[in-house]
Amino acid sequence: MLPKAASTASANPIAINANDQIFSAAEFREVILASRNGSPVRLRDVGDVIDNVENVRLAGWVDGQPAVIVDIQRQPGANIIETANRVKALLPKLRSAVPPP
């Protein structure tokens, strides 16, 4: 399960996971984080919740220019040589999908 939301407002950042049944900021606002004095503390009570798909805290740079990060991880039982060859074969197609610098 991938994090669906995060808070970086304090020295202790947190990630919020969801099971893909929550699709919008409006639904996330209602997520109960804790209970205080018998009352629920909802995400909306502790911060702003917005719809956004861009992670503004993650970026790639090469020689001072914006770059694309491609994270490839080996899966158990995968043939690493075959995987590397397939990735290399796809690089021209990936490069053509990225705007020129």
Side-chain angles (χ1 to χ4, degrees):
M1 184 179 322
L2 296 173
K4 305 294 183 190
S7 169
T8 57
S10 71
N12 300 315
I14 62 167
I16 298 172
N17 295 315
N19 62 4
D20 289 339
Q21 293 180 359
I22 299 177
F23 296 104
S24 69
E27 293 170 299
F28 269 102
R29 284 184 193 97
E30 303 307 314
V31 170
I32 297 173
L33 303 173
S35 179
R36 295 290 184 258
N37 300 321
S39 297
V41 177
R42 298 181 190 280
L43 194 53
R44 68 174 184 228
D45 299 328
V46 298
D48 296 323
V49 183
I50 60 169
D51 282 313
N52 195 348
V53 295
E54 183 177 356
N55 184 343
V56 297
R57 289 167 184 77
L58 178 64
W61 298 86
V62 174
D63 296 327
Q65 297 293 317
V68 175
I69 299 170
V70 178
D71 182 22
I72 301 167
Q73 298 181 357
R74 182 174 184 256
Q75 297 295 313
N79 180 325
I80 193 69
I81 302 299
E82 180 183 322
T83 301
N85 289 339
R86 290 175 63 201
V87 169
K88 287 178 186 177
L90 284 172
L91 283 177
K93 184 176 181 177
L94 293 172
R95 284 189 183 112
S96 70
V98 175

